[in-house]
Amino acid sequence: MGLNLNDKKVVVEEVSAKVATAQTIVVAEYRGIQVSHLTKLRATARAQGVYLRVLKNTLARRSVEGTQFAPLADAMTGPLIYSISDDAVAAAKVLADFAKTNDKLVLKAGNYAGKQLDVAGVTALASIPSREVLISQLLGVMLAPVSGFARGLAALAAKKGEGSSEAAPAAEETAAA
């Protein structure tokens, strides 16, 4: 059953609101995928904070019209699933990870911050670690000099502690004589 005009307007408004705050949109062809697999994909997307939706391409084109994602309209042909996220990497990562395990999901194109991405660009974007991983790596790099200095001080203290424990019995023997 098709959507009436009011339903289409609601869908366009909803998707336009998501697109307005998005950094990345990735589209993939989903022809032949079982419903149970799509359900798992949607659950994964929800957990990652990604807006995932199957849309009519005309409604999707209207939603991106006049935005930084407008060039993506050329790739909007065929049965597509749209992945939209505020996180720069999440939309690409969700679809690319799913495409690794399900060969029927075919990545078509993407757009990151107004830059059109081909399939290779989408997979490269998906290979970037998540924000949390990057923050923890940065924190590890920042703490490495401090922790190295602390380990050096601890080793020095342990070495002096061993030297003073050997020197203490000799001092006691000299004092007793």
Side-chain angles (χ1 to χ4, degrees):
M1 183 172 149
L3 299 172
N4 65 28
L5 184 61
N6 290 332
D7 293 340
K8 289 178 183 179
K9 286 180 181 179
V10 169
V11 169
V12 169
E13 286 177 19
E14 177 186 340
V15 175
S16 294
K18 293 292 183 182
V19 168
T21 62
Q23 284 191 11
T24 307
I25 296 178
V26 178
V27 295
E29 193 169 310
Y30 67 95
R31 188 173 302 174
I33 297 178
Q34 296 176 358
V35 174
S36 61
H37 293 159
L38 278 178
T39 304
K40 289 178 186 175
L41 175 61
R42 285 187 172 113
T44 303
R46 240 187 327 271
Q48 299 292 326
V50 174
Y51 180 78
L52 190 73
R53 181 134 187 212
V54 173
L55 293 168
K56 286 183 160 278
N57 294 329
T58 54
L59 298 180
R61 281 188 203 103
R62 285 196 180 125
S63 297
V64 299
E65 209 171 78
T67 68
Q68 63 183 351
F69 302 108
L72 192 59
D74 296 337
M76 295 179 182
T77 57
L80 298 177
I81 190 162
Y82 294 84
S83 178
I84 303 170
S85 72
D86 298 341
D87 183 1
V89 179
K93 187 176 285 292
V94 166
L95 288 181
D97 288 348
F98 187 78
K100 289 177 188 174
T101 61
N102 193 324
D103 60 341
K104 292 185 180 182
L105 184 78
V106 179
L107 297 173
K108 282 194 80 176
N111 192 307
Y112 166 66
K115 293 180 180 63
Q116 191 72 8
L117 302 173
D118 59 353
V119 176
V122 171
T123 53
L125 184 63
S127 67
I128 296 173
S130 69
R131 182 176 187 271
E132 291 78 20
V133 171
L134 289 173
I135 288 173
S136 66
Q137 288 175 349
L138 177 64
L139 188 59
V141 168
M142 290 171 60
L143 289 178
V146 175
S147 61
F149 181 69
R151 281 193 297 271
L153 284 179
L156 184 62
K159 185 176 180 183
K160 287 197 179 218
E162 290 173 3
S164 64
S165 63
E166 293 172 1
E172 290 176 8
E173 288 176 11
T174 310

